[in-house]
Amino acid sequence: MFPLNAVLYPGVSVPLHVFEDRYRALVHHLLRTDDPSRRLFGSVAIREGYEVGDHGNQSLYRVGVRLQLTDVEARPDGTFDIVAVGRDRIQLDRLLTSGDYPVGEVTLLPGQEAEVPAEIVEQARATFTAYRHVLRSIAGDPLQGDLPSDPTYLSWTLAACTPLPMGERQQLLEASDAAERLVLVTELLRAELRAMNVITSLPATEVARTKWSPN
């Protein structure tokens, strides 16, 4: 297991710099696996705490992703730069930290392949297009290229490239299927657009909910 201060999604690649001893040990373990398709590890987002240090994460979200290690670059100082891609969702039932690296007892969460109504897909695409247009003037384009046509991959793409607060990103990961996820991301993007009309920041909704102090 490799807990992170980030919510990851299936189908999305993530680059990581690995420098802590326990996660370097994890990479060494994965590289000893001859079959690249079996170089798998899990990640869940850290609800409270930090990625590094003896005290580290104090509270973890239970739903995360299983990732496949795809690229590794070993550095002279013993650290690694790696790339991993999300495969599927997992539920963390128990985390064991007594070994060389964290090990999780997990349950694979099945993907729901129910048909997504066309109007839900179109609403999500249109809302993200409007959000993308506004975002370009603040922080640049959040997505390179065109939106995918497949509803499931579209739902993961919108979730991944939208700068939302951690809790809302976790909600998107925990949504039961693509239709629920697209409806939710559409609602969240609309709320962001409304807030960005008042406060030009990312994510605007998080700033709008923060108590303001003149000090």
Side-chain angles (χ1 to χ4, degrees), residues 44-98:
V44 290
I46 299 170
R47 190 193 301 264
E48 293 180 26
Y50 306 95
E51 293 177 6
V52 299
D54 293 335
H55 299 289
N57 45 79
Q58 300 159 13
S59 175
L60 303 172
Y61 287 102
R62 293 190 65 199
V63 176
V65 295
R66 186 171 62 156
L67 301 115
Q68 180 180 340
L69 182 67
T70 57
D71 291 287
V72 180
E73 181 178 355
R75 295 291 185 181
D77 61 359
T79 65
F80 295 96
D81 288 325
I82 69 172
V83 177
V85 62
R87 286 269 297 263
D88 40 29
R89 297 187 308 152
I90 57 173
Q91 177 178 293
L92 178 62
D93 301 317
R94 187 183 180 198
L95 185 69
L96 308 174
T97 58
S98 58

